[in-house]
Amino acid sequence: MSTDVLSHFGVLDELIQVIYQGFDRFVLLSQVTESAWSIYLGLKGPEGRWWRGSWSTKDILNITNGVQPSSQVLENFAEKLRTTFVNGDLAIREWTEKDSDIDLTFGPTAKRPLHMALKELSAAEAASQATALFIDIALQAQSRKCQLNPLFAPRNVVAESSHANSASTLPSKRTPLGLSQVPVPAVNQAAERKIKALEAELARSKEKSPLGDAISKPSASSRPPKGASLANPNKKARKYQALEFESDED
């Protein structure tokens, strides 16, 4: 019967979470076996304190009022606990550094939060638990070529690969850029097109307008007639007769 109940709690196996309680930080591990669902809680600090708590089949049935629930009810219950764990909806109730036993609360803001009693492990048990945890991490890392964090590549590797990719795209020899090869900003290109269009329009207007010919070549009618005054072309120029002086001999 124990196996039948805990077989639905497989979704809670090998989960890990971090709890921030004030200035303290805890690491939380979830493990499921055929006999119980266990929680390990470690406190970050120089003392390296660990706690352990578990729910057996009897504990789970007590939560369900002692009635053997259906498989669907057990699966839904385990899935809700998993969601609470993954979302970090966890808290340590009324804990101080002097307490040896603490309570872990699932869903502290829920209408019916659940509590699991945790007992502190001895120094030897805490060291054994930490070692077992690192062994599991090392075994899982073997499939990733012993990489501790498989999701992130080292920064120097990323920088080298990006540098190699950029270097491969560069030409082998640098050639001087001609004027046609110099990149021109889009704004300058648009202004140049407008200037050319205005010049073309001005040229067409000059070809069609007679004013341009009148300016470039003055007509014969605009020239003053022969003998006319240069100051006033409508009047004839005055003729001046040379003055003659009588000789003293006469």
Side-chain angles (χ1 to χ4, degrees):
M1 180 171 130
S2 174
T3 305
D4 294 340
V5 173
L6 291 171
S7 63
H8 303 285
F9 279 63
V11 293
L12 294 169
D13 191 27
E14 295 185 350
L15 298 180
I16 188 168
Q17 181 61 276
V18 178
I19 300 178
Y20 297 91
Q21 190 88 4
F23 295 100
D24 297 319
R25 184 164 56 178
F26 297 86
V27 59
L28 191 65
L29 304 175
S30 175
Q31 295 178 356
V32 178
T33 62
E34 294 181 356
S35 59
W37 170 42
S38 300
I39 291 291
Y40 291 89
L41 184 71
L43 173 63
K44 180 182 179 181
E47 297 180 359
R49 301 173 66 180
W50 281 85
W51 292 262
R52 181 184 178 274
S54 63
W55 281 354
S56 63
T57 299
K58 182 179 179 180
D59 297 324
I60 297 173
L61 293 179
N62 288 336
I63 296 175
T64 60
N65 298 322
V67 179
Q68 178 69 30
S70 62
S71 298
Q72 186 64 42
V73 172
L74 289 173
E75 290 179 0
N76 293 339
F77 181 47
E79 187 61 35
K80 288 182 179 179
L81 288 173
R82 180 183 183 277
T83 302
T84 301
F85 191 101
V86 172
N87 293 339
D89 192 12
L90 307 163
I92 299 174
R93 186 173 57 172
E94 299 178 357
W95 175 82
T96 62
E97 294 183 358
K98 297 180 181 180
D99 296 335
S100 58
D101 296 339
I102 57 179
D103 289 339
L104 177 64
T105 302
F106 295 87
T109 59
K111 294 182 179 180
R112 296 180 57 186
L114 300 177
H115 307 283
M116 178 184 288
L118 305 179
K119 293 185 177 181
E120 187 171 6
L121 302 178
S122 64
E125 291 174 334
S128 176
Q129 174 61 28
T131 303
L133 175 61
F134 278 106
I135 289 177
D136 290 339
I137 294 174
L139 290 175
Q140 294 176 10
Q142 287 182 353
S143 61
R144 305 186 297 265
K145 296 183 179 180
C146 299
Q147 182 67 44
L148 183 61
N149 298 317
L151 298 180
F152 302 96
R155 294 183 178 181
N156 56 349
V157 174
V158 175
E160 291 176 1
S161 60
S162 61
H163 177 72
N165 293 335
S166 61
S168 61
T169 58
L170 294 176
S172 57
K173 293 183 180 180
R174 295 186 178 181
T175 56
L177 292 176
L179 294 178
S180 60
Q181 295 175 317
V182 177
V184 180
V187 177
N188 295 342
Q189 292 179 356
E192 185 177 355
R193 288 195 297 268
K194 290 183 178 180
I195 293 174
K196 291 183 178 179
L198 290 175
E199 291 178 351
E201 185 178 355
L202 181 60
R204 289 194 298 269
S205 63
K206 286 183 178 181
E207 292 177 358
K208 296 179 180 180
S209 176
L211 182 60
D213 297 336
I215 296 175
S216 59
K217 294 182 180 181
S219 61
S221 60
S222 62
R223 295 179 182 179
K226 187 176 180 180
S229 174
L230 296 178
N232 191 350
N234 295 328
K235 294 182 179 182
K236 293 183 178 181
R238 296 179 180 180
K239 295 182 179 181
Y240 296 92
Q241 186 176 1
L243 296 176
E244 295 180 359
F245 297 94
E246 294 181 356
S247 175
D248 294 337
E249 297 179 355
D250 298 339

